Amino acid sequence: MGAKPYIWWAIEPSVAGVVDTLTIAALVVLVAAALAAVAAGLLRAGRLTRRAFLTRPTTGREALVGREAVVRRARGGTGQVLLEGAWWTVRGRDAPVREGRRVRVVGQEGLDLLVEDAENAGGVTEEESP
């Protein structure tokens, strides 16, 4: 079933009225407003994209490097730390880890984190310190 002919009698004057009121000046204003909205959106999207590329990763391997934690348990040169809500097995990069020491993550091998002593990051050992 198609539309009744009297419906077109009601719609046609409305469409004709809208077309008559839209002058060239009104169309120019509408197009300019649309272009300004698109330009503002592109500018905002560009800023958000730039910020996303410059921020530090929050997940994955890159997010853990540089973080510090305290060794909770140590045995046989490895230990465990609670970092970002998860227990990680840590191994010392240069020396075995010791329980109770603050360590800094410097890398990852498999599922183990490689760490260095955060308190002696400058390379000074306990025997050399005054």
Side-chain angles (χ1 to χ4, degrees):
M1 273 187 135
K4 306 284 185 202
Y6 61 84
I7 297 224
W8 294 115
W9 294 342
I11 293 175
E12 191 271 330
S14 300
V15 172
V18 169
V19 170
D20 285 343
T21 58
L22 286 179
T23 63
I24 298 296
L27 287 175
V28 168
V29 169
L30 287 174
V31 169
L35 290 176
V38 167
L42 289 175
L43 181 63
R44 178 72 176 149
R47 287 181 180 167
L48 290 174
T49 302
R50 183 175 182 269
R51 184 186 313 166
F53 276 107
L54 294 179
T55 56
R56 182 175 182 199
T58 57
T59 60
R61 176 179 300 186
E62 297 84 14
L64 296 176
V65 173
R67 302 286 173 118
E68 293 185 5
V70 176
V71 178
R72 304 290 179 170
R73 292 174 240 165
R75 183 183 327 148
T78 64
Q80 289 190 328
V81 298
L82 183 62
L83 186 62
E84 300 294 323
W87 285 100
W88 289 90
T89 301
V90 295
R91 290 183 294 144
R93 182 171 63 175
D94 301 325
V97 295
R98 297 191 322 218
E99 191 169 327
R101 299 294 291 191
R102 178 165 286 281
V103 293
R104 179 178 302 112
V105 178
V106 294
Q108 184 176 1
E109 278 185 12
L111 294 177
D112 294 346
L113 298 179
L114 299 176
V115 296
E116 67 182 8
D117 193 2
E119 296 164 0
N120 291 331
V124 178
T125 62
E126 291 179 6
E127 294 82 29
E128 296 173 357
S129 60

PDB file of all heavy atoms in Angstrom, residues 55-65 67 84 88 108:
ATOM      1  N   THR A  55      52.540  10.104  25.885  1.00  0.00           N
ATOM      2  CA  THR A  55      52.399   9.620  27.248  1.00  0.00           C
ATOM      3  C   THR A  55      53.115   8.285  27.418  1.00  0.00           C
ATOM      4  O   THR A  55      53.317   7.535  26.472  1.00  0.00           O
ATOM      5  CB  THR A  55      50.917   9.431  27.633  1.00  0.00           C
ATOM      6  OG1 THR A  55      50.302   8.550  26.700  1.00  0.00           O
ATOM      7  CG2 THR A  55      50.195  10.750  27.668  1.00  0.00           C
ATOM      8  N   ARG A  56      53.479   8.021  28.645  1.00  0.00           N
ATOM      9  CA  ARG A  56      54.167   6.780  28.977  1.00  0.00           C
ATOM     10  C   ARG A  56      53.179   5.620  28.901  1.00  0.00           C
ATOM     11  O   ARG A  56      52.028   5.757  29.302  1.00  0.00           O
ATOM     12  CB  ARG A  56      54.718   6.888  30.391  1.00  0.00           C
ATOM     13  CG  ARG A  56      55.490   5.682  30.805  1.00  0.00           C
ATOM     14  CD  ARG A  56      56.117   5.877  32.149  1.00  0.00           C
ATOM     15  NE  ARG A  56      56.876   4.663  32.432  1.00  0.00           N
ATOM     16  CZ  ARG A  56      57.267   4.309  33.617  1.00  0.00           C
ATOM     17  NH1 ARG A  56      57.015   5.064  34.651  1.00  0.00           N
ATOM     18  NH2 ARG A  56      57.939   3.203  33.793  1.00  0.00           N
ATOM     19  N   PRO A  57      53.603   4.457  28.402  1.00  0.00           N
ATOM     20  CA  PRO A  57      52.695   3.317  28.328  1.00  0.00           C
ATOM     21  C   PRO A  57      52.178   2.930  29.708  1.00  0.00           C
ATOM     22  O   PRO A  57      52.902   3.039  30.700  1.00  0.00           O
ATOM     23  CB  PRO A  57      53.559   2.191  27.758  1.00  0.00           C
ATOM     24  CG  PRO A  57      54.708   2.867  27.116  1.00  0.00           C
ATOM     25  CD  PRO A  57      54.918   4.153  27.843  1.00  0.00           C
ATOM     26  N   THR A  58      50.956   2.475  29.776  1.00  0.00           N
ATOM     27  CA  THR A  58      50.375   2.078  31.056  1.00  0.00           C
ATOM     28  C   THR A  58      50.220   0.571  31.170  1.00  0.00           C
ATOM     29  O   THR A  58      49.820   0.082  32.212  1.00  0.00           O
ATOM     30  CB  THR A  58      49.001   2.731  31.248  1.00  0.00           C
ATOM     31  OG1 THR A  58      48.162   2.375  30.144  1.00  0.00           O
ATOM     32  CG2 THR A  58      49.116   4.241  31.333  1.00  0.00           C
ATOM     33  N   THR A  59      50.503  -0.153  30.105  1.00  0.00           N
ATOM     34  CA  THR A  59      50.413  -1.609  30.153  1.00  0.00           C
ATOM     35  C   THR A  59      51.610  -2.203  29.416  1.00  0.00           C
ATOM     36  O   THR A  59      52.309  -1.528  28.678  1.00  0.00           O
ATOM     37  CB  THR A  59      49.135  -2.124  29.468  1.00  0.00           C
ATOM     38  OG1 THR A  59      49.143  -1.713  28.103  1.00  0.00           O
ATOM     39  CG2 THR A  59      47.893  -1.602  30.161  1.00  0.00           C
ATOM     40  N   GLY A  60      51.809  -3.483  29.643  1.00  0.00           N
ATOM     41  CA  GLY A  60      52.859  -4.187  28.923  1.00  0.00           C
ATOM     42  C   GLY A  60      54.234  -4.012  29.535  1.00  0.00           C
ATOM     43  O   GLY A  60      54.414  -3.445  30.609  1.00  0.00           O
ATOM     44  N   ARG A  61      55.217  -4.511  28.809  1.00  0.00           N
ATOM     45  CA  ARG A  61      56.597  -4.512  29.274  1.00  0.00           C
ATOM     46  C   ARG A  61      57.118  -3.091  29.531  1.00  0.00           C
ATOM     47  O   ARG A  61      57.791  -2.827  30.506  1.00  0.00           O
ATOM     48  CB  ARG A  61      57.457  -5.213  28.230  1.00  0.00           C
ATOM     49  CG  ARG A  61      58.926  -5.218  28.535  1.00  0.00           C
ATOM     50  CD  ARG A  61      59.683  -5.937  27.481  1.00  0.00           C
ATOM     51  NE  ARG A  61      59.203  -7.317  27.433  1.00  0.00           N
ATOM     52  CZ  ARG A  61      59.736  -8.258  26.684  1.00  0.00           C
ATOM     53  NH1 ARG A  61      60.746  -7.998  25.910  1.00  0.00           N
ATOM     54  NH2 ARG A  61      59.262  -9.475  26.699  1.00  0.00           N
ATOM     55  N   GLU A  62      56.805  -2.154  28.646  1.00  0.00           N
ATOM     56  CA  GLU A  62      57.322  -0.800  28.768  1.00  0.00           C
ATOM     57  C   GLU A  62      56.804  -0.098  30.028  1.00  0.00           C
ATOM     58  O   GLU A  62      57.459   0.792  30.561  1.00  0.00           O
ATOM     59  CB  GLU A  62      56.943   0.029  27.538  1.00  0.00           C
ATOM     60  CG  GLU A  62      57.535  -0.472  26.244  1.00  0.00           C
ATOM     61  CD  GLU A  62      56.711  -1.589  25.618  1.00  0.00           C
ATOM     62  OE1 GLU A  62      55.549  -1.801  26.035  1.00  0.00           O
ATOM     63  OE2 GLU A  62      57.232  -2.263  24.726  1.00  0.00           O
ATOM     64  N   ALA A  63      55.624  -0.486  30.502  1.00  0.00           N
ATOM     65  CA  ALA A  63      55.049   0.165  31.681  1.00  0.00           C
ATOM     66  C   ALA A  63      55.791  -0.210  32.953  1.00  0.00           C
ATOM     67  O   ALA A  63      55.774   0.539  33.925  1.00  0.00           O
ATOM     68  CB  ALA A  63      53.573  -0.185  31.809  1.00  0.00           C
ATOM     69  N   LEU A  64      56.449  -1.349  32.975  1.00  0.00           N
ATOM     70  CA  LEU A  64      57.119  -1.805  34.193  1.00  0.00           C
ATOM     71  C   LEU A  64      58.533  -1.267  34.325  1.00  0.00           C
ATOM     72  O   LEU A  64      59.031  -1.110  35.443  1.00  0.00           O
ATOM     73  CB  LEU A  64      57.144  -3.333  34.228  1.00  0.00           C
ATOM     74  CG  LEU A  64      55.770  -4.012  34.308  1.00  0.00           C
ATOM     75  CD1 LEU A  64      55.931  -5.517  34.225  1.00  0.00           C
ATOM     76  CD2 LEU A  64      55.053  -3.619  35.575  1.00  0.00           C
ATOM     77  N   VAL A  65      59.194  -0.975  33.226  1.00  0.00           N
ATOM     78  CA  VAL A  65      60.573  -0.499  33.284  1.00  0.00           C
ATOM     79  C   VAL A  65      60.610   0.863  33.989  1.00  0.00           C
ATOM     80  O   VAL A  65      59.855   1.766  33.662  1.00  0.00           O
ATOM     81  CB  VAL A  65      61.179  -0.396  31.870  1.00  0.00           C
ATOM     82  CG1 VAL A  65      62.551   0.251  31.913  1.00  0.00           C
ATOM     83  CG2 VAL A  65      61.262  -1.767  31.232  1.00  0.00           C
ATOM     84  N   ARG A  67      59.896   1.247  37.223  1.00  0.00           N
ATOM     85  CA  ARG A  67      59.110   1.165  38.462  1.00  0.00           C
ATOM     86  C   ARG A  67      59.959   0.578  39.578  1.00  0.00           C
ATOM     87  O   ARG A  67      60.878  -0.195  39.335  1.00  0.00           O
ATOM     88  CB  ARG A  67      57.866   0.295  38.260  1.00  0.00           C
ATOM     89  CG  ARG A  67      56.943   0.760  37.176  1.00  0.00           C
ATOM     90  CD  ARG A  67      56.191   1.994  37.639  1.00  0.00           C
ATOM     91  NE  ARG A  67      55.429   2.547  36.537  1.00  0.00           N
ATOM     92  CZ  ARG A  67      54.125   2.655  36.527  1.00  0.00           C
ATOM     93  NH1 ARG A  67      53.431   2.298  37.561  1.00  0.00           N
ATOM     94  NH2 ARG A  67      53.515   3.173  35.488  1.00  0.00           N
ATOM     95  N   GLU A  84      52.316  -3.372  40.645  1.00  0.00           N
ATOM     96  CA  GLU A  84      51.102  -3.118  39.863  1.00  0.00           C
ATOM     97  C   GLU A  84      50.029  -4.164  40.143  1.00  0.00           C
ATOM     98  O   GLU A  84      49.304  -4.580  39.255  1.00  0.00           O
ATOM     99  CB  GLU A  84      51.417  -3.080  38.362  1.00  0.00           C
ATOM    100  CG  GLU A  84      52.395  -2.010  37.957  1.00  0.00           C
ATOM    101  CD  GLU A  84      51.835  -0.618  38.159  1.00  0.00           C
ATOM    102  OE1 GLU A  84      50.637  -0.404  37.927  1.00  0.00           O
ATOM    103  OE2 GLU A  84      52.604   0.256  38.572  1.00  0.00           O
ATOM    104  N   TRP A  88      55.552 -10.690  40.871  1.00  0.00           N
ATOM    105  CA  TRP A  88      56.524 -10.905  39.800  1.00  0.00           C
ATOM    106  C   TRP A  88      57.761 -11.561  40.382  1.00  0.00           C
ATOM    107  O   TRP A  88      58.206 -11.228  41.472  1.00  0.00           O
ATOM    108  CB  TRP A  88      56.942  -9.578  39.172  1.00  0.00           C
ATOM    109  CG  TRP A  88      55.879  -8.947  38.352  1.00  0.00           C
ATOM    110  CD1 TRP A  88      54.932  -8.078  38.782  1.00  0.00           C
ATOM    111  CD2 TRP A  88      55.664  -9.125  36.959  1.00  0.00           C
ATOM    112  NE1 TRP A  88      54.132  -7.696  37.733  1.00  0.00           N
ATOM    113  CE2 TRP A  88      54.556  -8.323  36.607  1.00  0.00           C
ATOM    114  CE3 TRP A  88      56.289  -9.869  35.980  1.00  0.00           C
ATOM    115  CZ2 TRP A  88      54.070  -8.259  35.308  1.00  0.00           C
ATOM    116  CZ3 TRP A  88      55.808  -9.805  34.679  1.00  0.00           C
ATOM    117  CH2 TRP A  88      54.716  -9.005  34.357  1.00  0.00           C
ATOM    118  N   GLN A 108      63.153  -7.077  31.147  1.00  0.00           N
ATOM    119  CA  GLN A 108      62.355  -8.276  31.344  1.00  0.00           C
ATOM    120  C   GLN A 108      62.893  -9.382  30.455  1.00  0.00           C
ATOM    121  O   GLN A 108      63.238  -9.148  29.301  1.00  0.00           O
ATOM    122  CB  GLN A 108      60.897  -7.987  30.999  1.00  0.00           C
ATOM    123  CG  GLN A 108      59.954  -9.129  31.264  1.00  0.00           C
ATOM    124  CD  GLN A 108      58.506  -8.774  30.994  1.00  0.00           C
ATOM    125  OE1 GLN A 108      58.192  -7.662  30.594  1.00  0.00           O
ATOM    126  NE2 GLN A 108      57.629  -9.720  31.219  1.00  0.00           N
TER     127      GLN A 108
END
